[in-house]
């Protein structure tokens, strides 16, 4: 994992990257195994042996985003120079 401006980057194999931008209302939440995903607000979920990480939005405006890109050059396009 790393940060790219205001974005969270999760590095996967084969130079694949998940780029999350939470904006104001985006959230990452841990759910124990067997818990239901939040209806209508879930944008993505990542399942693990002991539970699930849920990416969801808490507000009504749909600003949070998740992108899958391949290669450092594609990742560099998301660097807007922002800070946390």
């Amino acid at each position: 994992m790393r940060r790219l401006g205001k974005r969270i980057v999760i590095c996967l194999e084969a130079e694949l990257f998940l780029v999350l931008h939470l904006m104001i209302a985006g959230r990452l939440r841990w759910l124990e195994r067997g818990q239901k995903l939040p209806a209508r607000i879930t944008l993505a979920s990542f399942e693990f042996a002991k539970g699930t990480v849920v990416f969801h939005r808490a507000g009504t405006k749909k600003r949070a985003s998740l992108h899958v890109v391949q290669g450092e050059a594609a990742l560099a396009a998301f660097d807007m120079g922002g800070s946390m």
Side-chain angles (χ1 to χ4, degrees), residues 4-80:
L4 183 65
K6 295 181 180 181
R7 290 158 179 80
I8 298 169
V9 178
I10 301 171
C11 307
L12 305 173
E13 59 188 30
E15 281 202 10
L16 282 174
F17 301 98
L18 299 177
V19 182
L20 290 109
H21 194 306
L22 299 176
M23 293 298 285
I24 292 173
R27 305 283 188 269
L28 290 173
R29 179 176 165 192
W30 175 258
L31 297 177
E32 295 296 327
R33 188 166 193 148
Q35 285 185 284
K36 291 180 72 174
L37 299 177
R40 293 184 290 156
I41 62 171
T42 298
L43 300 173
S45 64
F46 306 95
E47 294 186 25
F48 298 92
K50 295 188 178 188
T52 304
V53 173
V54 179
F55 176 42
H56 67 90
R57 66 180 188 285
T60 56
K61 295 182 180 177
K62 298 177 182 178
R63 293 182 178 168
S65 65
L66 170 65
H67 298 271
V68 179
V69 298
Q70 186 167 24
E72 291 286 339
L75 184 60
F78 287 92
D79 189 357
M80 304 298 173

